[in-house]
Amino acid sequence: MSKSLRLSEKWFRRGLWLVALAFASFLIGLGGAIVDDLPQVERALELDDFIDRPAAEPLRSTIKASEAAELQATRELEQVRLQQSAARQASANARETFGNWIATRRATAQPDQDTELIARTKALDAFKQKEDEVQRLVNAQQQVVLDARHAEQRAREALSLLERDAREKLDAEYRRVELRVFAYRLALTLPLLVVAGWLFAKKRKSTYWPFVWGFIFFALFAFFVELVPYLPSYGGYVRYVVGIVVTVLVGRYAIVALNAYLARQKLAEQQPDQVRREELSYDVALARLGKGVCPGCERPVDLKNDEIDFCPHCGIGLFDHCGQCETRKSAFSKFCHACGTSALPRVPQAAAGGSAPGSVDSFTPGGPLKPAV
């Protein structure tokens, strides 16, 4: 249809399409901001909201106390192990000294040193006793650490069971929240789709069509971007069922629209040539001729064949001759391209609905022509 438009009109239409896109972009931005804030309607959920707190709090306290006790016992164990290391070293040194002294005594065989032998033996026993005491301290601290670790482990296992039950409840609540948020999205998107459908059916060719198309683009974006990706899956069943329903509805609408269109075309082809011309817009006729199809039935016609003056499918006139110079021209032209004579017979003012004399849109070849939309 763009071939039949004036140059200025083409640029105006392109500018209006930019207006439609800009309007749609602002609506999309506003809608996106609203949709992004929808989850804030629901309160943020935590695991503690679903756990058995009377049972969980003592376990958490036990875990905390066990961790502190284990840490303290570990520190004390490190200190005791240092003492143990020092005691072992002292005992080893004493045994080495005693061994050297025994070897010397045997070499000299002096009986008067028996008292010193007894004293050295007692000292060595004292070192051994000290080492044993430190070892008992080490064992005690290791037991304290082990007890604290076991208490912590038991408390964690019990708490883990409580948290597992709470997590199942939390996941179930998350699914319910997602379903509610999807319901909010649907409550916002569905009316937009309904309004967009009504605008497409009734207002897409109105004076304010840029805003109509901008709103339609916005509604489609809201449906396919803000709603469909958040459709609950439930193993894919919901999405497949919704896809089948939408496909059936769209397919049914297309089939009904096609049958209605074919019925209108069949009825129109039965009308006289004059009536059919009155129902054709000048721009629509030129656009169809530019595509090489009949303006009446939209079937292909060889318009370059000089012998074809009428559509072989529906019989509407395609070419006639100028009444002034007899030049063959398009039957839908308003003026002869050879001599410039008006190709449209004048219609009386009363029959033309009060059109001004000489108005181009007040007559057609063989009858009135509707103003170009």
Side-chain angles (χ1 to χ4, degrees), residues 12-332:
F12 271 116
R13 283 185 176 272
R14 292 170 183 170
L16 290 176
W17 275 113
L18 291 178
V19 171
L21 293 177
F23 183 61
S25 66
F26 286 121
L27 286 177
I28 289 172
L30 177 61
I34 295 175
V35 170
D36 290 341
D37 290 338
L38 282 180
Q40 298 181 10
V41 177
E42 298 288 337
R43 185 178 64 86
L45 299 176
E46 297 179 355
L47 188 65
D48 286 347
D49 295 333
F50 301 91
I51 201 169
D52 186 0
R53 292 192 178 185
E57 289 302 327
L59 293 175
R60 289 174 177 171
S61 300
T62 300
I63 292 174
K64 186 179 296 186
S66 299
E67 289 176 346
E70 182 180 357
L71 180 61
Q72 181 65 27
T74 302
R75 292 174 179 174
E76 294 179 358
L77 178 60
E78 292 176 355
Q79 296 294 329
V80 174
R81 279 178 175 170
L82 289 176
Q83 297 177 13
Q84 182 186 30
S85 177
R88 284 179 177 177
Q89 185 65 36
S91 179
N93 293 337
R95 282 195 299 271
E96 183 179 0
T97 302
F98 182 76
N100 294 335
W101 183 85
I102 287 294
T104 302
R105 182 181 180 282
R106 286 175 180 174
T108 58
Q110 297 178 358
D112 58 346
Q113 294 183 349
D114 290 343
T115 304
E116 185 178 356
L117 175 61
I118 295 173
R120 285 178 177 270
T121 302
K122 290 182 178 180
L124 186 61
D125 291 340
F127 280 114
K128 181 60 178 175
Q129 185 178 1
K130 179 64 175 179
E131 183 180 353
D132 292 341
E133 290 177 356
V134 175
Q135 181 62 46
R136 285 193 294 271
L137 291 176
V138 170
N139 294 338
Q141 287 301 121
Q142 288 178 340
Q143 186 64 43
V144 172
V145 173
L146 186 61
D147 292 343
R149 191 170 298 167
H150 286 171
E152 178 185 353
Q153 184 177 2
R154 289 192 298 269
R156 286 189 181 278
E157 290 176 354
L159 183 61
S160 177
L161 294 176
L162 295 177
E163 289 179 346
R164 185 183 62 184
D165 296 339
R167 193 169 302 279
E168 293 177 355
K169 297 177 182 179
L170 177 62
D171 293 339
E173 184 62 24
Y174 266 132
R175 288 191 292 268
R176 286 190 288 269
V177 170
E178 289 177 357
L179 190 60
R180 288 198 295 269
V181 173
F182 175 77
Y184 301 151
R185 291 175 182 267
L186 183 63
L188 288 176
T189 306
L190 191 59
L192 296 178
L193 288 177
V194 173
V195 174
W198 181 82
L199 290 175
F200 177 81
K202 303 293 184 180
K203 300 294 183 179
R204 69 177 184 273
K205 295 183 179 179
S206 65
T207 303
Y208 300 100
W209 63 266
F211 300 106
V212 173
W213 280 104
F215 188 87
I216 292 174
F217 293 152
F218 160 63
L220 292 176
F221 180 88
F223 178 75
F224 287 105
V225 178
E226 302 293 352
L227 181 65
V228 172
Y230 299 93
L231 186 67
S233 176
Y234 293 106
Y237 291 102
V238 174
R239 296 185 179 181
Y240 288 133
V241 170
V242 171
I244 292 172
V245 171
V246 172
T247 304
V248 169
L249 292 177
V250 174
R252 180 183 180 279
Y253 173 80
I255 293 172
V256 172
L258 176 61
N259 292 334
Y261 167 77
L262 294 176
R264 290 195 303 269
Q265 287 294 107
K266 185 176 181 180
L267 181 62
E269 291 174 7
Q270 297 174 357
Q271 300 295 325
D273 187 86
Q274 178 68 23
V275 176
R276 296 173 64 188
R277 289 178 179 276
E278 292 178 359
E279 295 178 351
L280 277 175
S281 167
Y282 176 71
D283 291 334
V284 171
L286 290 186
R288 292 178 180 176
L289 288 172
K291 296 177 181 178
V293 298
C294 171
C297 64
E298 300 184 54
R299 295 186 178 95
V301 179
D302 186 7
L303 298 177
K304 297 181 180 179
N305 189 344
D306 295 339
E307 297 181 358
I308 295 180
D309 289 338
F310 295 88
C311 175
H313 307 291
C314 66
I316 194 171
L318 301 176
F319 296 93
D320 57 12
H321 295 270
C322 175
Q324 181 70 22
C325 65
E326 295 297 327
T327 301
R328 185 175 181 269
K329 63 176 184 62
S330 172
F332 296 92

